[in-house]
Amino acid sequence: MRKKRFTLFSFVTAFILLLGGCFSGETESKPDSSDGEKSGEEQSDGKKVLNLNNNEEPGSLHPGTAQGTHDSWVLEHAFEGLTKKTPEGEIVPGMAKDWEVSDDGITWTFNLREDVKWSNDDPVTAHDFEYAWKYALNPDTAAEYAYQLYYLEGGEEYNSSENKDEYAELEEKVGVKALDDHTLEVKLAEATPYFLDLTSFYTYYPVNKKVQEENPEWALEADTYVSNGAFKLTEWKHKESMKLEKNENYYDKDKINLDEVNFVMIDNADTAWQMYQADELDLVYPLPPDVTGELSSKDDPEFELAPDFTVYYYNLNNDVKPFNNVKVRKALSMAIDRKAIVEHVQQGGQQPAYGIIPPGIPDVEGDFQENSGELFKEDVEEAKKLLKEGLAEEGMDEMPEFKLTYNTDEGHKKNAEAVQEMWRKNLGINVTLENVEFQVKLDREKAGDYEISRGGWQGDYVDPMTFVDLWVTGGSFNDANWSNEEYDKNVKIAKTSMDPKERMEAMHKAEEILMDEMPIIPVYFYTMPFTVKPHVKGVFTPINRYPQFIYADIEK
């Protein structure tokens, strides 16, 4: 859907000057398009080619070790799971032609299509799924997303083991088994209402067992890459570009219109936008915030404002003083003017976040986020009071200087500058901004090597659990290093109960505890503003995915 937003340049400029921050975007020389052709046009050889931008080099294109949207946008088109999602968001058969589930919701039996193949012509089998899931759970793999497989019987026990001598025994007990080449039996630890949704998520994709065993580094280069989706990776110039081509082995290839998809890797949104204007790109996401504001105010026909399923927040490293103090954490949160950020900095119809679960998830009745309401308030005077008290409790007279780390993106930069000025103006504290590559940021968060960092989470499936389980004690993505027994207890209840009312109540309680302790600072709930050329048809935007081009077409 499109949404109009009224934006006056003079008003925005005045707001920026009021904040005192410098919001001007960096500019770079515009790189040439990789093939010298105009975007979206049929090439002289008749090929239909789509050109777009992935703003970071993928950290991993192996389904078992991928962890970010810079990985998943490619994976979602190169691979396919047991199920997939339609443009309407419906879960439909993918590699599996159908499935059965036991009355107690524990045992699932997936029947694979008999005509599915890998890009190297090997058959896709149930053994590839069993192998891939157990590979991600293997402690030696160190997969950040292994916890998404804890829904399998024995999954958590295997992944959590520190005794190599028992790995083989624990692996055998994991609840996934290929009964034959075309039948996969899955046993869950507990009945899970959203399990079918999970089977379309990339951690649940298969891996070619033979290829993995012969070459453990197959996913690092295009010439060894093997996938089972609508497209195959045929070129990878690291930190520069990637090329996907239509996979002729894909069972549904007759519905795939594009012959080729070219990704350039440009981490500057202004540069990507310039390339789009020069017809070198067909689709651009993300857009520079000022461009979003301008296009939305004009109701530009190439501008799309899709719903998103993502929360923008800041991690506070709870292991570092004074962020270990809840009063200091609350003070920092209460001193941020979220409305100003979404209306005058981002300008894309975002919604200020006073919780961590975005709109769009059904509750027992109504919408979960609407039922939660605002779980905290902004209050500068109370923030000053709490900051003083918190620092005194830590034996500090004043707030030490600290760094706010964000990954390269014009929108993240402007957010950080706005928050930096709000904290200076409202609390009298000095913050240094640090810009790093996305993968560097992720690595440092995992190592605890930061003070405050920009965070964002796009839900993996449509249930509040995809957000609340992030901050359980010892969680793979609990980069704030926070722990609360009552929080963990409620998350456990929500994971194991089949009573919808009990589940939702437990997750509401968990979110309330999180916001009362404030180990992370929510800022806003995303929208997905992007531009796409008129000759590109069939791009769709599931609530928890980047724009999908699997069924896209190029029209003259």
Side-chain angles (χ1 to χ4, degrees):
M1 61 176 287
R2 295 190 183 94
K3 184 175 180 180
K4 282 190 175 182
R5 293 199 59 80
F6 180 69
T7 307
L8 290 176
F9 177 77
S10 58
F11 180 67
V12 174
T13 303
F15 171 77
I16 292 172
L17 291 174
L18 177 64
L19 283 179
C22 176
F23 292 95
S24 61
E26 297 175 1
T27 59
E28 298 178 358
S29 59
K30 184 167 55 185
D32 294 332
S33 57
S34 59
D35 60 6
E37 300 283 355
K38 288 291 186 179
S39 69
E41 297 180 354
E42 289 198 16
Q43 306 301 307
S44 58
D45 57 5
K47 286 185 177 181
K48 293 181 177 181
V49 179
L50 180 72
N51 295 295
L52 61 162
N53 178 44
N54 195 15
N55 63 343
E56 292 281 350
E57 164 83 358
S60 172
L61 288 183
H62 189 301
T65 54
Q67 61 172 312
T69 48
H70 59 321
D71 307 331
S72 64
W73 204 8
V74 178
L75 284 172
E76 287 160 0
H77 294 87
F79 277 82
E80 184 171 290
L82 294 167
T83 62
K84 60 183 178 181
K85 290 188 176 181
T86 67
E88 296 74 32
E90 181 184 0
I91 301 170
V92 297
M95 290 288 109
K97 61 182 179 181
D98 55 40
W99 51 84
E100 301 91 39
V101 58
S102 61
D103 291 340
D104 60 6
I106 297 295
T107 302
W108 293 71
T109 304
F110 293 90
N111 303 303
L112 271 64
R113 301 175 188 271
E114 296 183 1
D115 58 345
V116 286
K117 293 183 178 181
W118 291 98
S119 56
N120 69 348
D121 216 35
D122 289 343
V124 178
T125 72
H127 300 281
D128 294 324
F129 279 93
E130 177 185 354
Y131 179 83
W133 296 6
K134 289 180 176 179
Y135 173 85
L137 283 169
N138 188 315
D140 289 341
T141 302
E144 296 292 346
Y145 254 124
Y147 78 95
Q148 289 290 27
L149 292 156
Y150 285 4
Y151 299 102
L152 305 182
E153 182 180 74
E156 183 172 5
E157 290 80 0
Y158 178 33
N159 184 246
S160 302
S161 176
E162 296 180 357
N163 183 359
K164 288 182 179 291
D165 293 337
E166 65 180 13
Y167 282 5
E169 180 182 352
L170 290 173
E171 180 182 308
E172 186 64 27
K173 293 180 180 179
V174 173
V176 56
K177 184 175 182 61
L179 302 183
D180 55 44
D181 284 352
H182 300 105
T183 310
L184 186 72
E185 182 183 77
V186 179
K187 291 188 176 181
L188 305 183
E190 303 282 348
T192 305
Y194 45 87
F195 179 70
L196 197 60
D197 198 332
L198 276 168
T199 60
S200 69
F201 182 64
Y202 60 80
T203 308
Y204 282 77
Y205 289 163
V207 168
N208 188 311
K209 180 180 179 181
K210 184 179 73 172
V211 169
Q212 175 75 37
E213 291 181 338
E214 291 178 355
N215 177 17
E217 297 185 344
W218 64 271
L220 299 180
E221 301 293 341
D223 58 1
T224 54
Y225 201 79
V226 177
S227 61
N228 71 320
F231 297 91
K232 58 185 179 181
L233 180 66
T234 58
E235 183 177 280
W236 188 353
K237 298 179 181 179
H238 291 281
K239 296 192 175 183
E240 182 181 333
S241 64
M242 306 181 77
K243 179 186 290 186
L244 300 177
E245 294 184 18
K246 181 177 178 177
N247 180 9
E248 292 298 332
N249 282 340
Y250 184 57
Y251 68 93
D252 220 9
K253 65 180 180 181
D254 291 344
K255 294 182 180 179
I256 308 304
N257 303 301
L258 298 175
D259 296 295
E260 190 176 297
V261 179
N262 294 316
F263 282 97
V264 292
M265 298 175 198
I266 304 294
D267 62 12
N268 186 289
D270 288 319
T271 303
W273 172 241
Q274 291 166 16
M275 293 177 69
Y276 180 86
Q277 290 178 301
D279 288 335
E280 295 173 353
L281 295 178
D282 298 301
L283 185 154
V284 170
Y285 177 76
L287 292 166
D290 56 338
V291 172
T292 297
E294 179 183 356
L295 295 180
S296 60
S297 68
K298 292 179 179 178
D299 197 23
D300 191 292
E302 296 181 22
F303 177 71
E304 297 287 342
L305 187 57
D308 205 346
F309 195 47
T310 307
V311 59
Y312 193 106
Y313 62 92
Y314 287 110
N315 288 298
L316 302 171
N317 191 336
N318 286 224
D319 287 340
V320 175
K321 278 193 173 187
F323 308 116
N324 60 308
N325 189 286
V326 64
K327 292 181 179 179
V328 173
R329 300 196 299 263
K330 284 186 172 182
L332 293 172
S333 178
M334 296 170 75
I336 294 175
D337 186 344
R338 290 159 178 80
K339 184 177 180 181
I341 289 175
V342 300
E343 291 187 354
H344 307 306
V345 178
Q346 289 303 311
Q347 307 177 65
Q350 296 86 355
Q351 177 181 324
Y354 299 96
I356 51 96
I357 298 174
I361 305 177
D363 205 335
V364 177
E365 293 182 2
D367 181 271
F368 190 97
Q369 189 271 332
E370 289 182 5
N371 291 342
S372 293
E374 296 183 0
L375 298 179
F376 63 91
K377 301 290 184 183
E378 296 167 1
D379 186 330
V380 173
E381 292 307 312
E382 180 66 12
K384 291 178 180 177
K385 175 175 173 291
L386 288 175
L387 181 63
K388 183 177 180 180
E389 291 176 358
L391 290 174
E393 290 172 2
E394 300 305 318
M396 298 179 175
D397 294 327
E398 60 182 19
M399 188 74 173
E401 289 192 17
F402 58 90
K403 288 182 180 179
L404 190 163
T405 303
Y406 64 93
N407 55 289
T408 305
D409 177 87
E410 192 62 23
H412 300 332
K413 176 185 177 184
K414 289 186 175 183
N415 283 342
E417 289 172 337
V419 169
Q420 177 189 45
E421 179 58 19
M422 289 170 184
W423 284 341
R424 185 199 65 79
K425 179 182 177 182
N426 295 332
L427 298 177
I429 59 181
N430 295 316
V431 186
T432 301
L433 303 185
E434 181 184 33
N435 171 37
V436 298
E437 291 183 359
F438 189 29
Q439 194 61 45
V440 172
K441 182 190 83 78
L442 293 177
D443 292 342
R444 285 180 50 185
E445 286 168 339
K446 293 294 174 281
D449 181 20
Y450 78 96
E451 293 166 308
I452 297 183
S453 70
R454 171 262 159 192
W457 190 261
Q458 184 181 65
D460 300 325
Y461 48 91
V462 185
D463 188 273
M465 184 57 68
T466 191
F467 294 94
V468 299
D469 70 355
L470 294 177
W471 292 283
V472 295
T473 300
S476 296
F477 292 94
N478 183 357
D479 297 323
N481 301 312
W482 174 73
S483 178
N484 182 285
E485 289 185 9
E486 191 65 20
Y487 184 86
D488 294 347
K489 176 183 175 182
N490 279 284
V491 173
K492 181 66 175 177
I493 291 171
K495 279 191 171 183
T496 57
S497 174
M498 288 301 291
D499 181 341
K501 184 177 180 181
E502 183 180 40
R503 287 190 72 247
M504 293 301 172
E505 286 180 352
M507 287 187 283
H508 277 296
K509 289 178 182 176
E511 186 182 24
E512 290 168 5
I513 292 168
L514 187 73
M515 291 298 91
D516 187 55
E517 289 283 316
M518 203 63 70
I520 53 101
I521 299 176
V523 182
Y524 59 77
F525 299 122
Y526 277 74
T527 54
M528 190 177 293
F530 67 96
T531 52
V532 60
K533 296 292 184 179
H535 50 250
V536 179
K537 308 297 182 183
V539 171
F540 65 98
T541 52
I543 192 171
N544 60 339
R545 297 285 192 274
Y546 271 24
Q548 302 288 290
F549 51 81
I550 181 172
Y551 301 121
D553 200 358
I554 302 293
E555 295 184 1
K556 292 184 179 180

